[in-house]
Amino acid sequence: MAKVLIVGAGAAGLMAAGAAVRQGHQVTVLEHMDKPGQKILVTGKGRCNVTNDCPAEEFLRHVRTNPRFLYSSLGAFPPAKTMELFEGLGVELKVERGRRVFPVSDKAEEIRQALLRYAQDAELVHDGAKKLLLEEVTPEPEAAPAAPENPRHPKKKKAGPALRCIGVRGTSGREYRADAVLVATGGVSYPTTGSTGDGYKLAQQAGHTLIEPVPSLVSLVSHDADCKKMMGLALKNVTLTLFEDSKAIFDEQGEMLFTHFGISGPLTLSASSHLGDMKKHKYHAEIDLKPALDEQMLDKRLLSDFEKHANSDYCNVLGALLPQKMIDEFIDRSGIPPHEKVHDITRAQRETIRTLLKRWTVNVSAPMPVENAIITSGGVKVGEIDPKTMASKKIGGLYFAGEIIDVDAYTGGYNLQIAWATGKAAGEAAADALLTQ
C-alpha cells in the first residue's frame, strides 16, 4: 500500500489521518507529545467547542483572515457534516447560545477519543519532524504539439514542481519515507500542548512564504488599576467597542471578564484579532454597560431611580445599575462623594454617570503573549497552497492543514471547524493523488 505521512496528531492531523485510511492507504502519524490531541482538551474551557451550527456561506463571514481560501474545503465539509461525523462516532452533541456546538457531556476528552477512533487504523509514532526529505523531479518528455503553435500567441507552459517531498527526518534521527507528506503541526499558541512552531521551519525549508505568526483570540493587558480591583467580575449582555486611535474597529455584544492583568472573555478574544501594530497605534476599549438603552432612555431611567430614592446615599442606589464588585470603582471614576444624597446630584453629575454607564473605558497596553493565545494568526501563505486539496504549489507530494495555514476566525467554534475542513480536504486529496500514481 502507498504511504501517507502526517506530521502532527492534533485536530487537523487526526481528521486527515481518518480521511486517508478510509481510502485504503497506509497512514503514519508523527506526534512529538506523549499524548495526541492535547490542544483539543483545552478548547472551549475544557468542553470543546466542536463547531458552529451555521451554513457555510454564513460561516465564512466569521473568518477574519483569508476567508475565500476556505470556500472549497468548507463547502465540501461544512459544520453540518462535522456534526454528523462526530455523532456517527458516538458523541451526542448540543447547540448552545450563538449556535456553538459542544458534546452533551461537556467533556473535550470525548471529542479526542472519537477522533482517535476515527483514525484508529493509522499508525501513531511518538516522534517529531526535524527536516523534510526532498528529491528532484525528473521532467516527463513533452508530447509533440497537435497543431502548429502561433508564434504571436505562444502557449504558456506550466512548469511542475522541481522538487518532491518523499518523507521527513524525525527528531529521533529516524527517516520516514512516504508518497505524500501532510504537515499539520499547528501554530505557536499553547506550546505546552505541542504547538511549538516546528511546522513553520518545515514550510520554510520547502520554500514557502511565512506570514509572521501573531497571537489571535487572546486576552488584553491593561495597566488600569481598576481592572485588577475588579478581577473575576464577569459582565454579560454588554457591548465592547475597540478603538484604534480614535476609530472604532470592533463592536459586538456579549460577555467579558475583568482579570488581574486586564480584560478577557469572549468579547475580548474576538476584539483582539483586530489589533494592529501596537507601536504605531494606541488602543482602548469602551464598554456599554446598558446597550439596551440609548442615552435618552438611560437618562429617564436614572431620573426615575433617583426620584424613588431621593433621600438615599449615592453609593446605595448604584446596586440597581451595576454589579456589586464594580460600584466602588464606578464611584471613584464619577468623582461624586459616595454619601452624597441623591436629591443633591446635579444634572452635570447625572450626565457623568450616564457617560460612564455607556462608555466605561479600558486602556489597552498589549495583547497577552502568543503562548497564551487560543490560536495563531499567520502561517503559510495561502496563495502557495491549492485551496481544494491543500497541496503545496511549490513542492510535489506536500500538503498542509489546520492552524499552520494563514487562516483564522473569531471565537465560537469556527477555528476548530477550519481544522476539520482543511484536514479532511488534505487527507482525502493526498490519498486520491496516490490512487492516480
Side-chain angles (χ1 to χ4, degrees), residues 67-116:
R68 292 180 64 185
F69 175 79
L70 296 170
Y71 188 84
S72 295
S73 60
L74 195 65
F77 196 68
K81 288 193 175 181
T82 295
M83 295 171 69
E84 181 182 340
L85 174 64
F86 280 103
E87 287 171 340
L89 291 167
V91 180
E92 192 177 352
L93 300 173
K94 60 180 176 180
V95 181
E96 296 188 357
R97 185 185 56 80
R99 291 185 290 195
R100 296 173 298 167
V101 180
F102 293 90
V104 169
S105 65
D106 284 331
K107 294 179 180 178
E109 175 64 21
E110 189 177 5
I111 298 299
R112 192 183 79 91
Q113 289 297 332
L115 267 180
L116 290 173

Side-chain angles (χ1 to χ4, degrees), residues 13-308:
L14 290 174
M15 178 62 76
V21 296
R22 274 158 178 72
Q23 302 211 34
H25 291 292
Q26 182 181 337
V27 179
T28 299
V29 184
L30 299 186
E31 174 54 56
H32 69 112
M33 299 296 286
D34 293 332
K35 191 176 183 180
Q38 287 201 34
K39 192 173 180 181
I40 294 169
L41 299 179
V42 301
T43 61
K45 297 181 180 178
R47 298 170 61 211
C48 189
N49 189 177
V50 181
T51 186
N52 192 284
D53 187 21
C54 66
E57 305 79 34
E58 183 179 338
F59 185 100
L60 292 173
R61 292 199 289 271
H62 295 271
V63 179
R64 193 187 74 91
T65 309
N66 299 314
R68 292 180 64 185
F69 175 79
L70 296 170
Y71 188 84
S72 295
S73 60
L74 195 65
F77 196 68
K81 288 193 175 181
T82 295
M83 295 171 69
E84 181 182 340
L85 174 64
F86 280 103
E87 287 171 340
L89 291 167
V91 180
E92 192 177 352
L93 300 173
K94 60 180 176 180
V95 181
E96 296 188 357
R97 185 185 56 80
R99 291 185 290 195
R100 296 173 298 167
V101 180
F102 293 90
V104 169
S105 65
D106 284 331
K107 294 179 180 178
E109 175 64 21
E110 189 177 5
I111 298 299
R112 192 183 79 91
Q113 289 297 332
L115 267 180
L116 290 173
R117 289 195 299 275
Y118 183 61
Q120 64 185 352
D121 291 331
E123 178 190 16
L124 185 63
V125 178
H126 184 210
D127 201 353
K130 189 175 183 180
K131 186 178 181 182
L132 296 177
L133 301 178
L134 306 175
E135 71 173 7
E136 291 187 3
V137 176
T138 304
E140 295 182 4
E142 293 185 10
E149 191 174 277
N150 188 334
R152 292 186 179 181
H153 304 285
K155 292 182 179 179
K156 293 181 179 180
K157 297 175 182 177
K158 293 183 179 179
L163 292 173
R164 182 171 185 83
C165 186
I166 57 170
V168 303
R169 179 175 292 117
T171 51
S172 64
R174 177 183 170 187
E175 288 191 355
Y176 302 87
R177 298 277 172 160
D179 298 296
V181 175
L182 196 162
V183 181
T185 51
V188 287
S189 57
Y190 287 133
T192 55
T193 66
S195 298
T196 53
D198 296 344
Y200 296 145
K201 297 174 185 176
L202 299 178
Q204 286 179 311
Q205 181 200 341
H208 278 280
T209 305
L210 193 67
I211 307 301
E212 182 184 2
V214 294
S216 187
L217 302 187
V218 66
S219 300
L220 299 178
V221 177
S222 173
H223 295 311
D224 293 355
D226 51 16
C227 286
K228 188 173 183 179
K229 292 176 183 177
M230 295 188 293
M231 68 177 181
L233 172 61
L235 299 177
K236 296 183 178 181
N237 298 319
V238 297
T239 296
L240 184 143
T241 305
L242 181 68
F243 289 84
E244 182 179 78
D245 300 323
S246 59
K247 180 182 178 182
I249 57 173
F250 172 86
D251 183 83
E252 193 171 299
Q253 187 172 339
E255 301 175 12
M256 61 166 293
L257 175 74
F258 287 102
T259 71
H260 65 285
F261 56 77
I263 55 176
S264 188
L267 281 180
T268 306
L269 300 181
S270 292
S272 71
S273 63
H274 292 263
L275 289 175
D277 191 337
M278 300 292 292
K279 295 178 182 178
K280 294 181 179 178
H281 303 283
K282 290 186 177 180
Y283 293 88
H284 77 274
E286 291 184 3
I287 305 166
D288 185 347
L289 298 163
K290 301 293 177 185
L293 303 175
D294 61 22
E295 298 271 354
Q296 188 176 6
M297 292 170 65
L298 181 58
D299 196 47
K300 289 181 179 179
R301 162 78 185 274
L302 291 175
L303 283 170
S304 175
D305 285 0
F306 288 178
E307 286 176 6
K308 290 178 183 176

